[in-house]
Amino acid sequence: METSTTVPESVAALHAAIDALTDEVIGGLRAQLPSYAAVSMDQLRPRVLASLRNGLSLVQRWSEERRTSQGSGQDGRAYAIPETHLDEVTALARALPVEDIISAYRIGTDIVWRRFGEEMAARRGTAEDLLPIAETLRAWVDANTLRIVRSCRVGFEEDAMTDRRRAAQVRALLLGEVRWDKSPSGGGAWGTGPADDRPAAGYLDDGEAAADGWYDRGALRRPFRARLPDVPPPGGPARAPEPGPAPYATGHPGPGDGAFDRIVALLRPWLALDGTGKPLVTTVDGDVAGLLAGRPGGLCRGLVLGLGAPAPASGLAAEFTRATQALRAAAGFGLVGAFTREELGLRATVVALPAVGEALVGLRLAPLAERGEDGAQLEEAAAAYLEQGLRLEAAARTLYVHPNTLRNRLRRFEEITGTSLRDPADLAEIWWALTHRRIHGPAS
């Protein structure tokens, strides 16, 4: 038994005016959702147009089925969003909040339903014509909203897994934990040690890596290690660094962390990318680390950045060690900017040769330790004198003492340690010992 033709006629009218309907829906989305207002029309219009055409086609099919067979039992769940469109929605969800995408479907449905009602009214459609379509449309929207949420969740989980895998791969490169494939094919496959010892998750096996080709072994990349500079309290001295690497809990845990994202944003123009355009970054002991395609320009005032030299894959671990030493030296001296180990000169050498520093501490500072608080005061006096470029009055001001008081303390320092603050060799050894203690902490 056939029913009214007003539904297919109304749908046909909306199809005929699809461009105007698309503009109206886009206007509603951009007016109500700031995230959609930020999306360019070139990106938004094709997606909205495809969604409207899909929805109107389904309404057309529902109405035809009702005309030819009453009580067919079809509902909105019988017609799912096409997989290609669902893939586009999932891709869009990587740039927009999922809740906004769901709201966009609701906003678009309201606009289309209002226009559909106007077309039905113009053709004297009845409630009996509208009610089944309304119920079916609501069921279809609900079912496909659930599909969108599930699809986006799976997409995000896959993205997160890919990001974690990439971070693990970069970390393995930097720490020298990569086992490159020695096969004649030279496919660049890699693992993380003996095949039987590899973790069950996180790293590619040889076959996967060869197919993936995620890293060009011959490319020259510059390893780096970075952190945000410490901000000392107003009028106070810079905080002395803790010995050893920065603890993970107080560093930058990874993507989503504000400090991590800020560092990546500052370095983005120079970051090396994988085949999918993602930056090769990770975290090592709380610091942001990774690979650069070139040296950052400018002064990098917002970062403490240690750099290695450009190297192929086989040399990245050694250069990352040098980048780490540069970072620790720069941070220990309160420097801000980008530095290689060579550019930091003797400062970086103090970091790289802790055994020498420990020996000098024992030789030049150990006699002070036996005098308790008095010895600590004398060590403080010598440190201030060196930090102020051997200028007695400037050093006295930093210690809030009279120059004669400081002069007396420096004389006692020389007597107890057996050194002369006028001998360049003794000065160098005292400086090294004091700097070693500041960078590496007290002797174990």
Side-chain angles (χ1 to χ4, degrees):
M1 180 178 69
E2 292 194 359
T3 60
S4 170
T5 61
T6 55
V7 171
E9 290 173 357
S10 298
V11 173
L14 293 180
H15 265 299
I18 191 71
D19 288 337
L21 183 60
T22 300
D23 290 339
E24 186 175 355
V25 171
I26 291 175
L29 298 180
R30 294 170 74 89
Q32 299 182 51
L33 300 172
S35 60
Y36 273 74
V39 178
S40 70
M41 290 293 292
D42 291 341
Q43 290 180 294
L44 197 55
R45 186 176 181 81
R47 290 182 169 96
V48 172
L49 182 61
S51 183
L52 290 176
R53 283 176 172 163
N54 179 56
L56 291 175
S57 297
L58 293 181
V59 173
Q60 186 83 35
R61 290 171 62 184
W62 297 333
S63 65
E64 289 174 357
E65 288 175 357
R66 288 187 57 79
R67 291 178 59 208
T68 57
S69 177
Q70 287 286 344
S72 64
Q74 295 284 357
D75 64 18
R77 286 179 290 272
Y79 306 108
I81 298 176
E83 291 299 326
T84 54
H85 183 60
L86 194 62
D87 290 343
E88 283 203 5
V89 171
T90 304
L92 188 63
R94 295 186 175 99
L96 298 174
V98 176
E99 57 269 24
D100 282 6
I101 295 177
I102 295 172
S103 296
Y105 265 82
R106 299 293 183 182
I107 293 169
T109 300
D110 290 344
I111 293 173
V112 172
W113 183 249
R114 176 176 53 79
R115 288 292 311 279
F116 181 70
E118 293 171 356
E119 294 293 339
M120 289 287 290
R123 290 164 177 76
R124 301 181 182 278
T126 66
E128 287 77 8
D129 295 324
L130 278 171
L131 184 59
I133 296 298
E135 292 176 345
T136 303
L137 183 62
R138 184 166 55 251
W140 177 80
V141 171
D142 290 343
N144 284 299
T145 296
L146 182 60
R147 284 201 69 199
I148 290 170
V149 172
R150 288 174 175 169
S151 175
C152 291
R153 182 191 306 158
V154 170
F156 291 146
E157 289 174 352
E158 291 175 350
D159 284 351
M161 184 176 298
T162 300
D163 290 343
R164 287 194 296 269
R165 172 185 256 184
R166 184 186 308 107
Q169 292 167 343
V170 174
R171 190 180 302 111
L173 274 174
L174 297 176
L175 300 181
E177 297 173 354
V178 170
R179 179 180 60 81
W180 292 100
D181 182 13
K182 302 298 184 181
S183 66
S185 64
W190 66 288
T192 55
D196 295 338
D197 295 336
R198 267 180 252 144
Y203 302 124
L204 297 175
D205 62 30
D206 286 351
E208 290 174 323
D212 186 72
W214 80 279
Y215 192 81
D216 181 359
R217 292 169 56 181
L220 295 180
R221 303 273 172 71
R222 184 188 290 270
F224 75 90
R225 186 163 179 170
R227 66 180 65 155
L228 296 178
D230 289 327
V231 180
R239 180 177 64 84
E242 297 294 334
Y248 186 89
T250 59
H252 314 308
D257 171 75
F260 179 95
D261 293 342
R262 181 179 174 190
I263 291 173
V264 171
L266 289 171
L267 293 175
R268 187 168 297 280
W270 303 280
L271 287 172
L273 307 177
D274 68 4
T276 66
K278 298 291 187 179
L280 297 175
V281 293
T282 186
T283 57
V284 175
D285 294 326
D287 293 322
V288 179
L291 300 171
L292 300 173
R295 175 159 183 158
L299 299 178
C300 289
R301 290 296 188 190
L303 286 177
V304 185
L305 180 64
L307 300 172
S314 59
L316 289 177
E319 289 303 322
F320 181 68
T321 297
R322 297 164 74 88
T324 296
Q325 292 168 351
L327 172 69
R328 293 192 62 198
F333 284 90
L335 303 177
V336 176
F339 306 94
T340 64
R341 195 177 78 171
E342 290 72 20
E343 290 166 350
L344 290 170
L346 198 56
R347 294 181 177 93
T349 305
V350 173
V351 174
L353 301 176
V356 174
E358 193 65 38
L360 289 173
V361 168
L363 178 65
R364 297 304 186 192
L365 303 183
L368 298 174
E370 301 170 1
R371 295 177 175 265
E373 186 176 344
D374 181 54
Q377 190 178 66
L378 298 181
E379 181 177 323
E380 180 186 45
Y385 184 58
L386 268 64
E387 288 172 3
Q388 295 301 318
L390 310 184
R391 292 177 297 147
L392 187 75
E393 292 187 357
R397 284 195 296 270
T398 65
L399 296 175
Y400 302 100
V401 299
H402 192 277
N404 288 338
T405 301
L406 178 58
R407 187 178 288 108
N408 180 57
R409 290 179 184 178
L410 294 177
R411 179 183 55 77
R412 293 178 58 216
F413 176 90
E414 291 177 314
E415 291 173 354
I416 294 170
T417 61
T419 59
S420 170
L421 294 176
R422 290 168 296 281
D423 184 327
D426 283 358
L427 277 174
E429 291 181 352
I430 294 167
W431 175 87
W432 191 311
L434 290 170
T435 302
H436 170 88
R437 177 167 288 180
R438 184 171 65 178
I439 298 292
H440 295 282
S444 59

